[in-house]
Amino acid sequence: MKNILKYGMMAFVAVLGLGSCSDWTEPEAVKVVYDGVSDTDPDTYNKYLENLRAYRNNGHKKVYAWFANNGSFNSQADHVSAVPDSIDVLVLHNPQHVSGEALDDLNKKRTQTGMLMACTVDFDAMKASWNLKKELEQAGGAVAPEWNSFLADSLSVALGHASDAQMDRVIASFTGQDPAHLTQADKEQYLADQETFFKGIYRLEPGSFLRWKSGSIILEIQKYFEPSLQPETGKTEREWLESVDRVIKDSVAVHEIAD
């Protein structure tokens, strides 16, 4: 009986103790703020940013980095502000997911550090997407659009995302092929794809020069060299064969020389 009474009293005291502690055991949120160098020494930090922006323009080899932006800020790693300042060009995987908050983050990084923002327009990804639509069409799904129209529309959408995200650069990803190894039909399609995908991008022809003015205003494109081919006569067929053989051997000998 004495043991029962003793244990009963202990349980009663324990309950009273828990009740009396309920007021001060409730967890409270505490905001912990860690001051960065921009807060502790703003003058030094501003000088650092000034030197960093000047460094961007000194002709050094550029450092590119790819950033998997997912449209949310679940952790500090999702913020562009967490990207090392040593990066010259930050390439976003998903420019279509740049929210207003993320855009503010990008612009702050760009303004403070001079870092450029870019995204990739991927031809192969567009082709794969269209092939999938064709497979679904054959399986009874919706009719897929014509390839050329699909490519033009996809390119327009991709460039629209780049514009909305205020990208400084757009990287065109295109797997080139050697037309010499394509059938005539494949070659025509390959050239048509290039014309659509690289619309507005031109190559300066060999033997030409271009004069331009700041602001990308082209003033003049001229040929400075035009080969003049005069057929030779007076050689026999054997002499021509020997001449061609000698030129080929000389060319191979030159290319065998190590750098």
Side-chain angles (χ1 to χ4, degrees):
M1 184 68 180
K2 289 182 179 180
N3 289 335
I4 295 175
L5 182 61
K6 180 175 69 174
Y7 289 128
M9 290 296 295
M10 291 175 62
F12 179 71
V13 171
V15 170
L16 289 178
L18 290 174
S20 63
C21 293
S22 61
D23 292 337
W24 55 271
T25 55
E26 285 292 327
E28 295 182 5
V30 178
K31 186 177 181 180
V32 179
V33 178
Y34 297 97
D35 292 334
V37 64
S38 60
D39 300 311
T40 58
D41 195 348
D43 291 338
T44 300
Y45 183 67
N46 289 333
K47 185 61 178 178
Y48 158 76
L49 293 176
E50 182 181 339
N51 292 335
L52 179 61
R53 291 190 295 268
Y55 169 74
R56 301 287 189 202
N57 301 317
N58 71 355
H60 66 281
K61 292 183 179 180
K62 304 301 181 184
V63 177
Y64 284 68
W66 274 251
F67 185 72
N69 61 301
N70 56 18
S72 62
F73 293 116
N74 297 322
S75 69
Q76 183 62 23
D78 295 322
H79 289 262
V80 172
S81 57
V83 174
D85 293 341
S86 57
I87 304 300
D88 293 297
V89 182
L90 188 66
V91 185
L92 272 62
H93 281 269
N94 304 300
Q96 70 275 19
H97 292 162
V98 176
S99 62
E101 185 181 1
L103 190 58
D104 292 340
D105 201 30
L106 292 175
N107 287 331
K108 183 178 180 181
K109 190 74 169 182
R110 180 192 289 116
T111 302
Q112 287 187 335
T113 69
M115 185 183 296
L116 297 179
M117 306 299 165
C119 65
T120 301
V121 176
D122 193 337
F123 173 87
D124 292 337
M126 294 177 184
K127 189 73 172 182
S129 179
W130 183 77
N131 288 336
L132 178 59
K133 287 182 179 293
K134 292 297 292 182
E135 292 176 6
L136 294 175
E137 176 188 334
Q138 294 172 359
V143 177
E146 292 295 324
W147 162 241
N148 288 340
S149 299
F150 179 83
L151 175 59
D153 291 343
S154 299
L155 185 60
S156 178
V157 170
L159 293 177
H161 290 319
S163 178
D164 293 340
Q166 300 179 15
M167 296 290 97
D168 300 295
R169 297 182 180 181
V170 175
I171 301 173
S173 176
F174 185 90
T175 302
Q177 301 181 57
D178 185 355
H181 301 290
L182 301 177
T183 65
Q184 185 60 34
D186 289 341
K187 183 186 298 183
E188 291 175 358
Q189 183 61 59
Y190 176 69
L191 295 176
D193 290 346
Q194 282 190 326
E195 184 176 351
T196 302
F197 191 68
F198 296 107
K199 186 176 181 180
I201 302 175
Y202 303 96
R203 181 182 63 181
L204 188 65
E205 293 297 324
S208 303
F209 70 84
L210 178 148
R211 288 200 309 119
W212 68 286
K213 187 177 181 180
S214 180
S216 300
I217 301 175
I218 297 177
L219 301 178
E220 180 184 13
I221 297 178
Q222 282 190 8
K223 282 274 190 180
Y224 66 84
F225 174 76
E226 197 74 55
S228 178
L229 302 177
Q230 299 296 331
E232 291 186 29
T233 58
K235 287 186 179 181
T236 65
E237 181 178 355
R238 182 177 182 83
E239 288 175 333
W240 279 116
L241 291 175
E242 290 177 350
S243 177
V244 171
D245 185 61
R246 183 171 59 254
V247 170
I248 292 176
K249 288 181 178 179
D250 290 344
S251 177
V252 171
V254 170
H255 286 84
E256 286 179 340
I257 301 174
D259 293 337

